[in-house]
Amino acid sequence: MSVGLGAVTRAREAMAGYLADAGVTVGSAFADAVLLAVSELVTNVLRHATRSPVTNVGITVGAGHLVVSVADTEPRLPPPAGMGVGLLMVTEPATAFGGTVSMETAAGHDGKTVLVRFPMPS
């Protein structure tokens, strides 16, 4: 997905469709938490990953979990001393639903991926 005007809206709309396909009720508190994570992570790419003209937004559903991934080509990770407001806005609802947030550096090239793992609601 090209990063720029409309990127957050396009990512949310695409993710809402994937959630519905995965059996998640769009408009539920769980769906809203997932969409908030997508919005904030794509916004973080726009604000902080200035070297990244493209971001990849993904969703994986399986083994009772839903995983949202947002990857960019900016090699810098957030400072270990603390998270910014955007990552806190992702971490709080993820934690409220029993989920976690983690970051991985890309293997073999510059970049990183932020992963938000949610247990699927029953």
Side-chain angles (χ1 to χ4, degrees), residues 25-105:
T25 304
V26 177
S28 67
F30 179 73
D32 289 348
V34 173
L35 294 174
L36 174 64
V38 169
S39 297
E40 289 302 321
L41 294 176
V42 172
T43 298
N44 279 351
V45 171
L46 292 169
R47 287 187 182 150
H48 304 294
T50 56
R51 291 179 35 186
S52 187
V54 174
T55 186
N56 292 314
V57 179
I59 182 172
T60 305
V61 179
H65 286 84
L66 181 146
V67 181
V68 171
S69 61
V70 176
D72 61 56
T73 58
E74 173 63 53
R76 293 177 300 143
L77 293 172
M83 286 190 249
V85 172
L87 283 177
L88 284 174
M89 288 181 67
V90 172
T91 301
E92 289 176 1
T95 302
F97 282 95
T100 61
V101 177
S102 62
M103 282 173 251
E104 301 174 352
T105 55

